[in-house]
DNA sequence: AAAGCAGTCAACCGCCTCAAT
DNA sequence: AATTGAGGCGGTTGACTGCTT
């Protein structure tokens, strides 16, 4: 049992769009704007399903669509974001201006999924068999780079409305870890012994002792502040994401550029934008921070 | 030259979410 | 609180193109 079709399919055109149809759609949206997709086709004189019109506009006709090959930088970003978000193509596309979710999804399935190997849940068994059979030398501009161990990475399902806690693992020295913080931060305390490494169940109880606070600031940013000196020296630390209305999706969709600038400006020991800086590093900078999402707790 | 294979990507399908009623 | 419908999303399909044999 599914929902009834969004519109009657009788008498509607299907398949590839013609230039005439494209023009009709563009002209209509230019005058009336986007939205009201279901009522758009008859108004625009199109014999198409409203959903089809929406898709055509979003994936092809929008003026801000970026054409051309995915660049190496974009590819790197897609890989990072996919590691973090999974098959949340629209979210990934949201971080790549001018690219559509459909385009990124296609690019992933035709290029990147092969390299990542079995990570993509998009591929069905049939598809994987198909792809394996059809595989030949990769037409990659740059040499395929080894993808970080993804089995140890847990995809963040941002669909969850309330993501309460996430655990990071920093494979960094104390010095480097300290370096990620605000310049004025005090030197971290000695690294705790391995018994303090927080993993799985036991870590939850110790969270409150070693984490700082994460909160949404008035300007919509998110900040992390250590609750005490030396917290950054932990190999693992947890971040409490249970911050009221704020959810991880909002955080990931926030303005990372601003966040980074803010964290650089901030010289206050008690109020560093540490977490945005960290996430920015994870998503946009380099590979030096090999971070795992060890665990997340999401309320259903 | 032609047939078959491999790869790409636009478009469709069906389910989900959420706001309006 | 329950229902409905529009919009949105991810998975999948199939037409098309280019390459290989």
């Amino acid at each position: 049992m599914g929902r009834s079709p969004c519109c009657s399919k009788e008498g509607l055109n299907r398949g590839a769009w013609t230039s005439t149809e494209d023009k009709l759609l563009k002209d209509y949206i230019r005058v009336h704007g986007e939205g009201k997709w279901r009522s758009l086709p008859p108004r625009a004189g199109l014999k198409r399903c409203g959903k089809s019109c929406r898709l055509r506009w979003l994936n092809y006709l929008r003026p801000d669509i970026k054409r051309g090959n995915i660049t190496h930088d974009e590819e790197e970003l897609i890989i990072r974001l996919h590691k973090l978000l999974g098959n949340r193509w629209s979210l990934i596309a949201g971080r790549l201006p001018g690219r559509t979710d459909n385009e990124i999804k296609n690019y992933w399935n035709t290029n990147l999924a092969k390299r990542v190997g079995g990570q993509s849940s998009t591929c069905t068994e049939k598809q994987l068999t198909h792809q394996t059979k059809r595989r030949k030398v990769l037409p990659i501009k740059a040499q395929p780079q080894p993808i970080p161990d993804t089995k140890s990475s847990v995809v963040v399902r941002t669909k969850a409305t309330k993501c309460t806690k996430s655990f990071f693992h920093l494979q960094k020295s104390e010095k480097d870890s300290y370096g990620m913080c605000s310049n004025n931060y005090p030197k971290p305390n000695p690294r705790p012994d391995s018994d303090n490494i927080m993993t799985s169940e036991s870590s939850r109880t110790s969270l409150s002792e070693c984490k700082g606070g994460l909160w949404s600031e008035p300007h919509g940013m998110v900040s992390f502040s250590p609750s005490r000196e030396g917290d950054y020296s932990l190999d693992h630390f947890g971040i409490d994401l249970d911050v009221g209305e704020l959810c991880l999706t909002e955080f990931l969709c926030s303005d990372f550029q601003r966040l980074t600038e803010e964290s650089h400006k901030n010289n206050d020991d008690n109020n560093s934008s540490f977490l945005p800086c960290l996430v920015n590093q994870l998503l946009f900078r380099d590979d030096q921070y090999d971070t795992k999402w060890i665990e997340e707790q999401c309320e259903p």
Side-chain angles (χ1 to χ4, degrees), chain A residues 140-276:
Chain A
I140 305 296
K141 319 94 196 178
Q143 195 66 18
Q145 297 177 0
I147 304 299
D149 178 18
T150 53
K151 285 177 181 171
S152 56
S153 231
V154 177
V155 166
V156 177
R157 303 298 296 182
T158 54
K159 214 169 201 173
T161 54
K162 292 180 183 175
C163 184
T164 57
K165 291 180 178 66
S166 287
F167 298 84
F168 292 81
H169 169 82
L170 299 182
Q171 292 181 333
K172 294 290 294 176
S173 67
E174 290 170 22
K175 180 173 176 289
D176 291 340
S177 173
Y178 170 67
M180 289 172 61
C181 311
S182 166
N183 291 336
N184 291 344
Y185 265 99
K187 187 176 177 60
N189 286 340
R191 181 180 299 190
D193 60 43
S194 57
D195 289 340
N196 283 348
I197 290 177
M198 301 187 298
T199 54
S200 69
E201 200 65 33
S202 63
S203 65
R204 297 176 190 169
T205 54
S206 56
L207 260 181
S208 61
E209 297 172 11
C210 61
K211 73 177 181 354
L214 175 71
W215 66 91
S216 177
E217 296 179 351
H219 42 59
M221 294 193 199
V222 182
S223 286
F224 175 82
S225 177
S227 53
R228 64 164 189 264
E229 236 180 72
D231 281 341
Y232 293 143
S233 67
L234 291 171
D235 274 358
H236 296 64
F237 66 92
I239 293 170
D240 189 346
L241 291 175
D242 189 4
V243 285
E245 295 301 313
L246 181 71
C247 71
L248 190 56
T249 301
E250 294 169 41
F251 173 57
L252 289 170
C253 290
S254 61
D255 188 334
F256 289 112
Q257 180 67 34
R258 281 184 57 207
L259 298 182
T260 307
E261 289 169 1
E262 191 70 17
S263 72
H264 285 161
K265 276 191 301 186
N266 197 337
N267 290 321
D268 180 1
D269 280 2
N270 296 321
N271 188 19
S272 168
S273 298
F274 170 71
L275 181 60

Side-chain angles (χ1 to χ4, degrees), chain A residues 69-94:
Chain A
N69 294 336
I70 302 278
T71 66
H72 182 68
D73 285 348
E74 287 175 317
E75 185 180 298
E76 289 296 308
L77 183 54
I78 291 169
I79 292 170
R80 287 174 186 279
L81 288 167
H82 186 272
K83 182 181 176 186
L84 188 66
L85 300 169
N87 297 353
R88 316 297 300 182
W89 306 116
S90 60
L91 275 179
I92 294 173

Side-chain angles (χ1 to χ4, degrees), chain A residues 13 15-24 46 48 56 61:
Chain A
N13 294 342
W17 279 63
T18 65
S19 56
T20 307
E21 288 176 313
D22 282 347
K23 186 175 186 309
L24 282 171
L46 285 163
R48 290 276 180 174
R56 183 64 180 173
L61 298 176

Side-chain angles (χ1 to χ4, degrees), chain A residues 45-58:
Chain A
L46 285 163
K47 291 182 176 180
R48 290 276 180 174
C49 167
K51 284 180 133 184
S52 181
C53 294
R54 175 184 164 270
L55 214 59
R56 183 64 180 173
W57 173 255
L58 293 178

